[in-house]
Each structure stands twice: as C-alpha cells, then as structure tokens.
Amino acid sequence: MEMKGNNGQGPNYGGGYQPATNPGPGYPDPGYPPMNQPAPGYQPPAMPGPYGYAQPAPGGFQGPPGNPNYGPYGGGPPVQNQPMVSGGLSPAWMPAPPPDPNCPPGLEYLCQIDQLLVHQQVELLEALIGYESNNKYEIKNSMGQRVYFAAEQNDCCTRNFCGAARSFAMTIVDNSGREVVRIIRPYRCSACCFPCCLQKLEVQAPPGNVVGYVKQKWHPCLPKFVIQNEREEDILKLHGPCIPCRCCSDVNFELKSLDEESVVGRISKQWSGAVKEIFTDADNFGVQFPMDLDVKIKAVILGACFLIDFMFFEKSGNDN
C-alpha cells in the first residue's frame, strides 16, 4: 500500500522544492560561509588610530603610476628619522625655492621674505658651569619654518679666553646641509677710545665670494654701523640705543637710509624672560628689512645680527 502525504500527493510532488529560509538554531544560513571564516574578498576593519580615526592597513594605498612610494593624498614619502628637539619634533624647513641665476646659490630663500627670526640654542654645559661653547642658531621665517641653521666655528682657547670679543667664522647651511653663507669676524677692539681698531665683519655667499661688510663707526656713546656691498660702498646705516642692555623690554637697532631720514628696518634683541636672560646667553632676535632689498644685502644684515649679539649680549665665561 502506497503512503501518501502532502494532501494526498506523492513525495516528489512540487519539484524544485527549496528548504526553509530560517533553519533551526545551530545551523548556518544557506549561502553563507561557515562561522568564524570570512567571506571571499572580505577585508578586516581598519585599526583605530591614536586620536580615534581609522588608520589604513599596511599596503592598503597605492600611489599614482610612476610614484609607488607616494601616499593617497599626493604628498611625498614620509620623513624618516626626523631629528628631535626639546619638546617634540624640530620645526619644518621652509620649502626650497627654484634656483635663480641672478642670485647666489642658497640665497633664493631671502627673495620671498622681509623678516627673519634668529633663535640661539641653549647649551646645557654652558648654562651649568660657564664653559663657553660654540654658538648655534636657528634662523626661521615669520611662519616658524626653519630657513637656515648657523653654527660658530671656533677653538676652545679662543672661546674661553677671548670671550665675547673673540674672532669667529659662522657657517650658515640650508635644509640640504649645503653651506650657503660664511661670516668672518676678526679679533678687534670695540672700545670707543680705539677708533683705529673698530669692528669689521665680512659676509661671503657662497663661501669665498664676498657680498658685503658690516663696519663699526666711531661714536663716543652710540653703537653705530654701516652696511656695505662687496665694493665697500655704503648702502644702509645701523644705529643702536645709547644703553643697548635693557631689562624686560626689547632692544632695537634701526636700519636707516644713508641720509638717516627714513627707517627701513631693524634688528631687535627680544626679551626672553628673566630666567633665560640671567642664567644663559641664548638670545632671540628679529630681523626686518624691505622685501625688495637685494638678497646680498639681506645676508649682510643677517651677519650684522650676529655681530650685535657678540658685542652687546654675549656673556664671557666669567659672567655666566
């Protein structure tokens, strides 16, 4: 006797029968991979970054053709082994401008700016025991980007026995480490009673090619200088206050025209705070000049900033 079901129909009734779409517990859904196994082509979610934003998976981004190392945002490859300074990463360098055949190599940076910030680095050994070390300076633009780095080249005996009146050679390098400016100061007396042996600074850009001079002019009580070109022709005058050392305020040295009728810029020694001023000789300066001034003269004015620092604000080893 044949058994019938499904309302009397045979077991093959309704060909193409599909199983239930909601199987019982413990059974995987039809058409899905087994549990704990990702589907083909599945990518795990990005790991959260340190600020809550997702970080891309390694190798997940591809650069444009011909630049496989570039990231997805069109920028260059990341900077590796970026130097550290106290408080974090060192400031970014100013982007290198295109070469200018009418400009000494390395001075193209000065074509785009009308002011510089000069920050002397604090030397721990010098601050603690008074041992005079070579001065180092960061030279930045108004946006805080580093334009140059300057370092004094001197020997131990000259630094510690000749004090602030010492001769020196200052090398200034750009972001590629290329020396673009060299400043040479011979040993000379700055006292007003010796007018025949006043200060003179020579600026070379590039090294070996003289672009100008800074010369001290005799005056019984005022610091006066003249900015000259490579032919020792006067271009600008630089005058300081009668007392160049002031407490809790900036000290301004004004750049003036040759007739002294107009002020075209200044070199300012900026007040750095009581602690830094008392216990160190690390100074901060601001240098302002006309935007359209010859870049060679701008380099000479930068050299005048270093001369002013040594003459009026550099402490000898006995003063620290």
Side-chain angles (χ1 to χ4, degrees):
M1 180 177 178
E2 182 178 2
M3 300 295 295
K4 295 184 179 181
N6 298 324
N7 297 326
Q9 302 298 327
N12 297 324
Y13 174 79
Y17 172 81
Q18 299 295 327
T21 58
N22 296 314
Y27 294 92
D29 292 341
Y32 290 90
M35 298 179 64
N36 302 326
Q37 294 187 13
Y42 171 80
Q43 296 293 334
M47 296 297 294
Y51 304 103
Y53 297 98
Q55 300 292 331
F61 291 116
Q62 300 295 330
N67 296 280
N69 293 327
Y70 277 26
Y73 307 107
V79 178
Q80 303 293 336
N81 301 323
Q82 190 171 6
M84 299 290 293
V85 295
S86 58
L89 294 174
S90 62
W93 284 89
M94 179 179 175
D100 186 348
N102 300 320
C103 178
L107 297 188
E108 299 91 352
Y109 296 88
L110 301 180
C111 297
Q112 306 175 2
I113 54 181
D114 60 355
Q115 59 180 311
L116 291 169
L117 305 176
V118 181
H119 299 314
Q120 184 177 354
Q121 294 186 340
V122 177
E123 299 293 337
L124 184 60
L125 188 62
E126 182 176 338
L128 293 177
I129 65 174
Y131 175 83
E132 187 69 33
S133 57
N134 284 326
N135 289 357
K136 300 179 180 65
Y137 304 84
E138 284 186 315
I139 304 171
K140 305 176 184 178
N141 59 17
S142 58
M143 300 176 60
Q145 297 174 320
R146 183 186 289 178
V147 182
Y148 300 116
F149 185 84
E152 177 190 359
Q153 303 295 326
N154 222 326
D155 59 87
C156 176
C157 293
T158 302
R159 291 194 309 268
N160 290 277
F161 287 101
C162 297
R166 64 185 181 265
S167 61
F168 65 79
M170 189 79 66
T171 60
I172 301 179
V173 300
D174 61 6
N175 59 358
S176 64
R178 174 185 56 172
E179 182 179 358
V180 296
V181 179
R182 179 174 297 172
I183 301 171
I184 299 175
R185 178 204 187 189
Y187 180 81
R188 288 191 174 187
C189 178
S190 58
C192 62
C193 55
F194 294 101
C196 60
C197 194
L198 298 177
Q199 295 291 319
K200 180 180 179 180
L201 194 78
E202 180 180 286
V203 181
Q204 303 175 0
N209 180 43
V210 177
V211 296
Y213 301 89
V214 181
K215 293 183 181 179
Q216 183 185 11
K217 293 297 183 179
W218 185 86
H219 193 277
C221 58
L222 292 177
K224 290 191 173 185
F225 304 87
V226 62
I227 306 297
Q228 298 180 332
N229 60 15
E230 65 274 16
R231 296 181 296 275
E232 300 191 50
E233 299 170 344
D234 294 353
I235 303 298
L236 294 171
K237 292 184 178 181
L238 180 62
H239 294 176
C242 179
I243 303 177
C245 297
R246 297 178 181 176
C247 181
C248 302
S249 64
D250 295 349
V251 181
N252 295 321
F253 291 75
E254 295 183 339
L255 280 168
K256 297 184 176 182
S257 58
L258 292 179
D259 58 8
E260 302 185 14
E261 293 294 330
S262 59
V263 177
V264 299
R266 64 173 49 90
I267 298 175
S268 301
K269 195 278 181 185
Q270 301 169 347
W271 175 253
S272 303
V275 174
K276 188 174 181 181
E277 294 284 346
I278 294 174
F279 294 101
T280 73
D281 60 356
D283 301 311
N284 296 330
F285 290 88
V287 183
Q288 299 178 5
F289 36 64
M291 178 73 76
D292 58 352
L293 187 65
D294 185 358
V295 292
K296 297 179 182 179
I297 303 302
K298 290 182 180 181
V300 178
I301 295 173
L302 178 59
C305 177
F306 296 121
L307 179 60
I308 290 173
D309 182 28
F310 274 83
M311 288 183 63
F312 304 107
F313 305 106
E314 179 76 6
K315 300 174 184 177
S316 64
N318 296 329
D319 295 334
N320 284 337

